[in-house]
Amino acid sequence: MKSLSIIFGAITSVFIFTGCSVNVQNINNVSKKEDYSKLNEITMIGYKKGTEIKYRKRTLNKCKADYELISNKVMKLAFLEEKFIMRDIDIKFITDNSEPISRVLIVRPALYNCAYKLVDVEVSLYDIEEVTQKWKSQEKKNSIKDLTELKDSNIIYRKVLTLNQADIMKKDSDILAETIIKALSKVIDLPKVTKDLETVKKEQALKYISCDNAPTEFGLWQKNNGTLCIGKIGLQKAKQKFSQSSNDIFNMATGQKHYKIDNTTCKDLVLTYASGKKEDDTVSLRDTYKNQLLKYYDNKCEIDNINEVNFISCKKDKIKEYYLENSKTFENRIYDKNLVQMDEMCFNKFKKAFTLNKNTQLWQTIYGSNNLGWNTFGDNSLTKTKYDINGYDINGWNKEGINKDTQTKYDKNGFTKNGENKYGIDKDGWSPVLKKFVKTKSEKDKISTFKVRDFKSFSTNDLYNRSNYDKVYLLKENDGMKLVAEQKIKNNDKVVMIKKYFFKGRNKPIFNLKDPSAPAFEAIEFEKIIEEKVN
C-alpha cells in the first residue's frame, strides 16, 4: 500500500501536506575543538517542528493522535536528566537573566512512520557559549527563542536514532534516554557514573519540594511541579481533589480545598480559608480559627505556637482532631486566616519539622517512609520487604489473603485482597444483601483519613455577611455591574418591607467575567440602600 506523508509545524499548528521527505543528516564536529570531546554542563530542550508523518490511506486521523502521544513522550526529558546527573554533569536551567551556558541538547521527533510504528528522534548537541553571553540581560522566552534559531555552524554532534514506538510508549520507559547516552558516549568522553539511579531520584525529589520561594507569611500554595507548600514545608505529588468557594463574605475570598497527596505520612490535607486585602479597611473578620476551635471543642484543645503557626490538637467525643492555624492582622483587623486539617501522623511530623526548622526532608517525597516504615511504593524500610514485621502489606493483607483489621479474608467492607466482594455490589456500590451502599475500592481514595470540619467565617460588619440577607444577585446598571443584597423586614411574620443594599466595585468591575477563577466579589464598597414597602 502506498505510503503518504505530512509535516507538522509545531509553532503554527498548521499541517502542510507534502510528498517530500525530511532530510536530516548525522553530523560529527567533535574533533573541531578539544573541549568538544568533554561534557561538564548542559541544558536540554524538547522541541517539535517540521516532524514528518508517514501514513497509509484512511489512517491519518489515528496517526495524528498517536503522534501527539509519542512526541510528548520524546520531549519529556526527566529520564535523560537523571542519566546526566548520575555522571555529575551539571544541569542548567534557563531563567530570566540566565548565566551563560556552554552546551544545549535539543531532542526532536523528526519522523514518525505510522505504518511501521517507528520513530526517528533527532538529537543535536550545540555549542552555545557565545550565543548565551547576552542572556544576563534577557528574558527567558527570548533565550529559548535563541535556541530554536541556532545555526548548523553551532552543531557539535547530531544523530538520528530510530526506535520502536512500543518501546518509547512503555510506562516509565527510559529506553530513549539510554539510547541517547550510548550515542553520545561513542563520540564524547562522558564522566563516569558516580551515583546510582535511586540516589539521584531522591536528590531530585528533595529539590522539587523546596518552598524557598513561598510567601513569607503562612499559607498554602501549589507549585507547577505539583508540590504543595504548607508554609515552607513542601509535599511532593499533591492533587487538589475538591474546591468550593463559599462567598460567605462579600469582600473576601472564603471556602475550602481538599488535597490528596502521594505520601504515606500525609495522605490528606484540608484547607479552610478566609482571605481579604490587607489594605482594604472594610475587611475585618469576627474571629480567628483558633478562637472558633476553642469554642467548638469547649476549650479542650492543646495549642503550641511555632514560628507564628498554631499547632492545635482538640478532643471531642473521645476523638482527637488536628489543625495548623494562622491568622494575620493589620490595624487591629483580622484580614486573612488559614486552617489546615490533617491526621495525627501528619500533624506530628509537621510539628517536628517546624520545631527543627527542617523544610526539605525525605518524608515529604514519594521516596520517604512514615513512622510505620511504609513508602508510597509499598516498601517497608523496617523489614526491607513488601511486608511489615507482622507480615502485612501496606494495604493490610498478608500473603495468605487475611486482613489485618478483621482477621478474615474480607476487609470491613467485605472485599477480599483481590477486590471481590462477599455481599455483591452493583456499579454504584449498592449491596442488595446488606441493603445499603458499600464503599468500593475506587471510592477509598476519595475518603479523607479524618472527619472534615468546616468553620464558617463572618465579617465584623454584618453589611458584608451573606447570611445577613435573604437574596443576593448581580444587577447591571448604566454605571456598571452592582451587587444587590435584599433583606426582608417582617411584622407579625408578614413581609412589610424589602431593603435593597447596593454594592459597587471600588477600583475595578465588581465581577470579572474574563477571569472566572477570581473571587466572585472583591474590592467592593457599599453604595446605597433602597427601601421598598410591601403592601
Side-chain angles (χ1 to χ4, degrees), residues 207-221:
K207 287 182 181 178
Y208 293 150
I209 62 170
S210 172
C211 293
D212 290 341
N213 294 327
T216 54
E217 295 181 318
F218 179 82
L220 264 71
W221 64 289

Side-chain angles (χ1 to χ4, degrees), residues 46 108 151 160 179 216 221 269 289 333 366 385 473 521:
R108 182 180 77 92
K151 299 176 182 176
V160 177
T179 306
T216 54
W221 64 289
L269 290 175
Y289 283 127
R333 292 181 291 104
I366 58 175
T385 69
Y473 55 93
F521 314 126

Side-chain angles (χ1 to χ4, degrees), residues 263-274:
N263 187 288
T264 52
T265 301
C266 294
K267 296 179 182 178
D268 308 278
L269 290 175
V270 175
L271 167 69
T272 308
Y273 63 91

